[in-house]
Amino acid sequence: MAPDRHLTLLSEEEVEQIHAATLQVLEEVGLWLPNREVLEILEGAGAEVDFEKHVARYPADMVTAAIGRFPDGFTWYARNPDHTIRIDGSRTHFSMPDSALNVIGPDGKHRPGVPRDGEDICRLCDALPNMAVASTGINPPDMPGGLLEAWHTRTMFCSSSKAVFGVSREVDMVLEMARIVADTCDHLPEGVLPLVAIMNPFSPLYNEADQLAGMLKYARKGVPISISPEVQAGATGPATVAGALVQQTAEFLGHAVLVQCVQPGLGVIYGTVSSVFDMKKMILPYGAPEADILAVGTVQMARRYGIPARNTGGSSDANVLDMQAGAEAMMSTLIAILAGASFVLHGAGELENTMAVSYEKILLDDEIIDMSRRFARGLGVVDAETLAVDVIKQVGCGPPGQFLQQPHTFSHFRSEQFMPRLFVRDMYSNWEKAGRQTAEQRAAAEVERILATHRPEPLPDAAQKEIDAIYHAAEKAALNK
Amino acid sequence: MAVEDISRAVLAFNLAGVTELVQKEIDAGTDIDTILNEALIGAMDEVGKRFSDGELYVPEMLMAAQTMKAGLALLKPHLTGDSARAKGTVVIGTVKGDLHDIGKNLVAMMLEGAGFNVVDLGVDVAAETFVQAAGDNGAGVVALSALLTTTMPAMEGTIKALQEAGLTVKIMVGGAPVTSGFADRIGAQGFSADAPGAVELARKLMAAQGGSS
Ligand code: B12
């Protein structure tokens, strides 16, 4: 979609109001960052730091200077060059949940996820055309920290050849696995790792020492960083959506400025996982329309800073695969694409307020992405050929005119039409004769087919062995704890 | 009846009204326990009921609790030892490694609203800190919160530490990934999926402790 056609909700003036309020928050309140090294870096770059209280306040010109160093995009390398993607606002790249507890498997049963699920979910991702970034979907419930991060990273690299993200903990281990993979690739520029790091600041306006330390490590290795605050409007941020957007933008910029101090020009993504806090059920609903407003606001602010954005998309608070799940998934997916987000995590297949991933829904959301992309493409090129006056003239008015046999139809219909793979378009009687298959049932059959047949491109043997060795060491360490 | 006026003021979130009315009753020599139980805690029970019925939302419930606490502050100097500790003490925190705190904060605020003495240890709390605080404060209940599958094992560790220290506290656990099955397995005495349920549970556990502690 042409950049000037992006969906916007904020006027240019409102974008500037949000920006001005953000600068004020950064200057007068600042961020609570309990990591001495981080505070020292920020002080060196002009922040006003209170080491005792762990608070850094950012003068406006310091923030403005850092914004000037943001690159407008970057390349997210995958080990398979065909799966390498550009993160620059030109296309919305999708992934799935990354840490659900439960799965709803092809048999429809709701149960705790096991490692095998993560490998299968990753293989689905590898097979599906609209999934661009690998993910295991789950945190297997009984897996201890340390092993968990090694498992995630190994699975993403081995059960898929698509782009991989770096988790926020055990960063040395992640960097080591990424280096092993990088050494097997000829298409990576010298010193570049096939990785983008995922970081979540805490609200209101803080972070923890370990995550900050990990962020420094990624930045020093030149790994681009996606920074996604998770404001719960009304609970860990203001109840007004505008106020939540201000706080979130301050949380993002506070971290992004730090990244620029460590590695000037490093790619950053302004992400959001924010929503309103549900004042009755006390959850953070990703299916809420306010989350979608924040998503659009995030993309607009990112564009103000000349950088790519991340949204959620496809996530639903429904506990089963029902109409609510479809409606919420469609809304956030379509909006992420229309607004022009570059990356979406949380995520195709997500249900149960981030706590579950459904195999079928991954496929159905993949189809929703197709539909949304088709919508976003709009009329496409408008010229004499597509305006079609010639063919309208040729067919003329009135019966027996029809277009089915026209060469114009023959040459355009495939590229003009969205062709459903799973959604049903059939007359009732035919559909009944064919076995009354719903979209969900068709998705389930497709899941089984893919899992039975799809084999991701393997890593070279030596690299696989090295990665396995790291994984087994983590397993041993976990056992000895 | 003035005691009812106090309740009504709590239910109307009228902080100034509550302090004024409570002071008037104290000055008039009304039985302190009556003001506490019938006016203040009675009002919070009604608030809890209206919340469960879906009439009130969280910020309204918390505003009512704040109003109630303003009244309670005036009563405190007059409370005899027994009624001061009548509801018992709950020590609460998120376990080691876990920094998710909104759920824990809500549970703590609602327990306070229900009249418990709450000692909030914050986030990322080591097992020894729970043991120390439970002992120091004579806690009847220890409440553990965890939101991560990787920090849930720290709940089990904390329970073991409390047992090894010979404390007879009851332990309740919660947080999004925690289930009642998990609670049973690690030897907790109670689990609740939400904050109102946590208050009910605390009442039950405290009663099992023999009321005050
Ligand atoms: C907001 C949030 C965050 C915020 C937390 C901010 C804060 N100040 O708390 C931030 C961004 C910091 C964050 C960080 C992380 N998070 Co987080 N987070 C959430 C989210 C979206 C909502 C949690 C929340 O506040 N809910 C609202 C409150 C009110 O609900 P609650 O905590 O469940 O509490 C209620 C009940 O459980 C109960 N209760 C709670 N405690 C207790 C205690 C007792 C005794 C009782 C009886 C009852 C009880 O009462 C409460 C009120 O009704 C959840 C998703 C989810 N569905 O839960 C993920 C989630 C918990 N996070 C998750 C993850 C993975 C992380 C990170 C590891 C991510 C990262 N990239 O680093 C870090 C870990 C940080 C750490 N060391 O703790 C995962 C956990 C997955 C898993 N399998 O373990 C979840 C489930 C999301 C997901 N599916 O991916 N997170």
Side-chain angles (χ1 to χ4, degrees):
Chain A
M1 191 165 57
D4 57 339
R5 300 254 187 90
H6 283 125
L7 170 67
T8 57
L9 290 173
L10 282 65
S11 67
E12 269 172 45
E13 193 195 339
E14 285 165 347
V15 166
E16 290 313 312
Q17 281 177 293
I18 301 281
H19 177 59
T22 299
L23 289 182
Q24 194 185 348
V25 169
L26 282 169
E27 185 149 7
E28 294 175 17
V29 186
L31 263 61
W32 187 79
L33 302 169
N35 178 310
R36 178 136 197 125
E37 193 184 358
V38 162
L39 291 173
E40 279 166 1
I41 294 168
L42 288 171
E43 186 178 49
E48 192 192 301
V49 172
D50 182 333
F51 283 93
E52 230 155 74
K53 293 196 172 120
H54 310 293
V55 172
R57 296 194 180 81
Y58 301 65
D61 50 355
M62 174 189 183
V63 178
T64 310
I67 291 172
R69 288 195 290 269
F70 293 154
D72 54 12
F74 55 86
T75 301
W76 190 340
Y77 289 92
R79 68 176 165 95
N80 176 341
D82 296 340
H83 292 319
T84 288
I85 54 182
R86 274 296 292 173
I87 299 292
D88 59 5
S90 59
R91 186 175 172 85
T92 309
H93 298 286
F94 284 85
S95 187
M96 302 181 296
D98 67 337
S99 42
L101 275 88
N102 305 313
V103 296
I104 305 165
D107 56 1
K109 283 209 185 87
H110 178 279
R111 56 179 170 79
V114 295
R116 175 69 197 272
D117 289 305
E119 286 141 32
D120 284 347
I121 287 167
C122 226
R123 278 201 293 135
L124 281 183
C125 168
D126 196 59
L128 291 172
N130 290 322
M131 293 297 116
V133 178
S135 179
T136 63
I138 57 162
N139 276 0
D142 293 323
M143 209 178 264
L147 180 58
L148 183 68
E149 291 79 6
W151 174 77
H152 271 293
T153 312
R154 178 174 82 152
T155 308
M156 284 189 276
F157 274 127
C158 303
S159 297
S160 151
S161 64
K162 292 191 173 175
V164 165
F165 62 83
V167 296
S168 62
R169 276 160 196 73
E170 307 291 333
V171 172
D172 291 327
M173 178 279 304
V174 177
L175 288 169
E176 181 54 14
M177 283 198 190
R179 188 208 46 85
I180 294 166
V181 173
D183 286 350
T184 70
C185 303
D186 319 322
H187 61 286
L188 295 182
E190 187 58 32
V192 169
L193 294 173
L195 208 58
V196 169
I198 303 289
M199 295 285 158
N200 293 112
F202 286 54
S203 303
L205 300 159
Y206 70 107
N207 210 325
E208 48 150 339
D210 285 357
Q211 193 176 158
L212 288 168
M215 208 160 108
L216 294 184
K217 284 181 184 166
Y218 279 128
R220 287 184 174 131
K221 289 278 178 187
V223 175
I225 302 181
S226 168
I227 301 165
S228 306
E230 190 163 11
V231 175
Q232 302 167 288
T236 57
T240 49
V241 179
L245 185 55
V246 169
Q247 184 181 303
Q248 193 201 262
T249 307
E251 287 162 355
F252 162 72
L253 281 178
H255 286 77
V257 168
L258 168 67
V259 168
Q260 295 306 316
C261 296
V262 177
Q263 186 74 269
L266 184 66
V268 287
I269 302 178
Y270 177 9
T272 177
V273 229
S274 303
S275 183
V276 285
F277 187 66
D278 184 293
M279 292 300 183
K280 190 162 283 168
K281 295 299 181 184
M282 295 176 272
I283 63 166
L284 186 68
Y286 288 150
E290 297 82 3
D292 297 319
I293 301 172
L294 283 163
V296 177
T298 301
V299 184
Q300 284 193 254
M301 293 313 294
R303 205 170 289 127
R304 160 73 173 73
Y305 303 133
I307 51 172
R310 172 194 155 191
N311 282 176
T312 59
S315 186
S316 170
D317 305 315
N319 292 320
V320 293
L321 198 48
D322 59 3
M323 178 157 168
Q324 178 189 343
E328 291 176 348
M330 177 87 232
M331 183 142 161
S332 54
T333 301
L334 180 61
I335 284 171
I337 292 173
L338 291 180
S342 292
F343 173 41
V344 170
L345 188 64
H346 280 295
E350 193 157 284
L351 281 175
E352 215 185 288
N353 190 228
T354 78
M355 301 290 276
V357 49
S358 148
Y359 279 71
E360 281 109 300
K361 187 166 175 294
I362 294 174
L363 271 74
L364 293 164
D365 285 341
D366 195 74
E367 179 129 324
I368 284 177
I369 295 167
D370 263 349
M371 277 176 96
S372 304
R373 287 207 168 123
R374 172 61 193 101
F375 177 82
R377 202 151 49 83
L379 294 179
V381 178
V382 179
D383 59 9
E385 173 68 11
T386 59
L387 289 168
V389 175
D390 282 350
V391 65
I392 293 171
K393 265 164 58 182
Q394 197 159 348
V395 172
C397 50
Q402 50 104 345
F403 290 78
L404 285 169
Q405 286 153 305
Q406 290 295 330
H408 186 270
T409 305
F410 175 80
S411 53
H412 285 289
F413 84 97
R414 272 187 184 268
S415 58
E416 282 288 310
Q417 294 193 358
F418 154 69
M419 313 276 189
R421 290 168 283 147
L422 301 170
F423 286 177
V424 176
R425 283 185 187 172
D426 208 351
M427 277 192 289
Y428 191 91
S429 54
N430 289 341
W431 173 73
E432 196 165 41
K433 250 186 262 154
R436 303 179 62 94
Q437 291 275 303
T438 63
E440 291 85 343
Q441 288 165 327
R442 293 163 62 138
E446 187 58 9
V447 167
E448 275 182 33
R449 190 193 64 78
I450 295 175
L451 291 182
T453 55
H454 182 75
R455 295 281 163 268
E457 178 191 327
L459 271 174
D461 266 353
Q464 181 70 57
K465 281 204 184 99
E466 274 187 83
I467 286 185
D468 288 347
I470 296 176
Y471 174 79
H472 292 307
E475 208 169 30
K476 230 190 195 157
L479 275 177
N480 290 339
K481 249 191 214 162
Chain B
M1 206 359 232
V3 164
E4 277 155 25
D5 289 342
I6 298 177
S7 293
R8 227 170 282 130
V10 171
L11 290 166
F13 320 112
N14 179 357
L15 199 138
V18 168
T19 45
E20 194 191 309
L21 290 167
V22 168
Q23 193 58 53
K24 240 196 225 155
E25 289 306 306
I26 296 172
D27 295 344
T30 309
D31 176 42
I32 298 293
D33 278 345
T34 307
I35 309 177
L36 175 65
N37 292 318
E38 285 175 31
L40 295 178
I41 294 178
M44 285 313 292
D45 285 345
E46 177 61 22
V47 167
K49 192 176 153 291
R50 289 189 190 179
F51 178 76
S52 301
D53 292 348
E55 267 176 63
L56 288 185
Y57 289 82
V58 173
E60 293 158 344
M61 183 170 50
L62 296 178
M63 189 62 81
Q66 243 173 40
T67 312
M68 179 270 195
K69 268 164 71 182
L72 188 62
L74 295 175
L75 293 184
K76 276 241 166 97
H78 304 277
L79 291 175
T80 56
D82 263 4
S83 43
R85 281 185 276 114
K87 292 253 173 179
T89 295
V90 182
V91 164
I92 190 168
T94 77
V95 296
K96 192 78 203 146
D98 212 307
L99 301 168
H100 293 85
D101 64 354
I102 300 301
K104 183 268 297 168
N105 292 348
L106 275 165
V107 171
M109 286 188 269
M110 289 199 191
L111 287 171
E112 277 194 346
F116 292 101
N117 175 34
V118 176
V119 179
D120 187 346
L121 302 178
V123 297
D124 192 18
V125 180
E128 312 82 71
T129 313
F130 275 111
V131 171
Q132 182 80 34
D136 290 354
N137 294 287
V141 170
V142 172
L144 307 177
S145 182
L147 269 282
L148 297 167
T149 46
T150 47
T151 56
M152 283 162 66
M155 286 181 148
E156 186 169 12
T158 306
I159 293 177
K160 272 211 192 101
L162 286 162
Q163 286 164 347
E164 276 163 20
L167 294 167
T168 55
V169 289
K170 300 277 186 222
I171 294 143
M172 62 186 203
V173 294
V178 178
T179 60
S180 59
F182 176 78
D184 289 346
R185 217 162 39 218
I186 63 171
Q189 280 80 43
F191 158 79
S192 159
D194 60 20
V199 171
E200 278 314 300
L201 182 61
R203 286 197 176 123
K204 264 202 343 236
L205 294 177
M206 214 56 99
Q209 283 285 56
S212 58
S213 62

